[in-house]
Amino acid sequence: MRFFAAAVTALICTWSVASAQGPNSNVIRSGSTVSLEYTLTSDDGQFTESNKGKEPLRYVDGREQIIPGLEKALEGLPAGAEKKVTVKPEDGYGQVDPKNFQEVPKEAVPADSLQVGTTLVAQNAQGQQFPVRVHEIKEKTVVMDMNHPLAGKTLVFEVKILDVKPPENQVPAPSSLIK
């Protein structure tokens, strides 16, 4: 009888661990490490970017490493899933902020870059670099747009989930059968 009880307990324990690692263990959830390929297009068709055939994009879900609208839309997807996701500006890079326009002296901008739409690289006091665009050229100053280049745009992603690794230090959920 003891052998039978031990065998049943072992079977239940094995089953509960297998269940905890079953079909839902390989889906994107908070803490999962995700690898994906994507093609990104702005809804106005002015911007396209893709990593297909290149290094996959890797991020940890829930750590704000990708834009919120995309991260939320991918939660619950398994490896191998493909999805088209439309992200509104407020869930992407935000709306264009009028406070992010700054006038600088014309001499501060290289002469060969004095053309509306030219993108330059600026550096803040902490040494971080970021893109800025020439928005307007005045007589003695240049208005620079320091918004993210995709601010104010609706983004369309075509995504393929290549791999999903469960969160580190994951402890299998206890089975309701074990008391």
Side-chain angles (χ1 to χ4, degrees):
M1 183 71 158
R2 285 186 193 172
F3 173 76
F4 178 73
V8 169
T9 301
L11 180 62
I12 290 173
C13 288
T14 301
W15 179 83
S16 67
V17 169
S19 294
Q21 296 173 348
N24 293 330
S25 69
N26 219 17
V27 299
I28 299 172
R29 62 183 180 279
S30 185
S32 297
T33 300
V34 181
S35 297
L36 59 86
E37 67 180 19
Y38 68 92
T39 298
L40 163 62
T41 308
S42 57
D43 68 339
D44 60 9
Q46 292 184 1
F47 180 83
T48 300
E49 176 181 292
S50 180
N51 73 341
K52 287 186 178 180
K54 300 176 187 172
E55 188 70 24
L57 171 68
R58 288 184 177 81
Y59 75 97
V60 178
D61 190 73
R63 295 209 183 137
E64 299 177 1
Q65 295 173 340
I66 63 173
I67 59 173
L70 180 60
E71 185 172 57
K72 184 177 180 181
L74 299 180
E75 287 177 358
L77 292 180
E82 295 185 36
K83 186 171 186 176
K84 185 173 184 176
V85 178
T86 300
V87 178
K88 298 290 182 194
E90 54 274 9
D91 294 322
Y93 292 99
Q95 296 292 346
V96 173
D97 185 348
K99 295 178 197 166
N100 287 336
F101 289 85
Q102 181 177 345
E103 282 193 54
V104 298
K106 207 176 216 178
E107 330 45 87
V109 179
D112 62 344
S113 298
L114 288 174
Q115 185 174 2
V116 172
T118 299
T119 300
L120 302 167
V121 177
Q123 186 170 320
N124 65 18
Q126 293 76 31
Q128 296 171 314
Q129 294 184 337
F130 57 96
V132 296
R133 283 174 315 289
V134 175
H135 179 71
E136 181 182 353
I137 300 171
K138 296 184 175 183
E139 187 178 329
K140 295 184 180 186
T141 62
V142 177
V143 178
M144 303 301 291
D145 178 358
M146 293 181 279
N147 287 287
H148 188 283
L150 296 177
K153 297 194 182 296
T154 297
L155 307 173
V156 181
F157 290 88
E158 291 186 29
V159 177
K160 181 176 182 182
I161 308 302
L162 302 175
D163 188 37
V164 179
K165 290 188 169 91
E168 290 184 20
N169 302 322
Q170 177 183 345
V171 177
S175 171
S176 60
L177 297 176
I178 300 176
K179 302 260 183 191

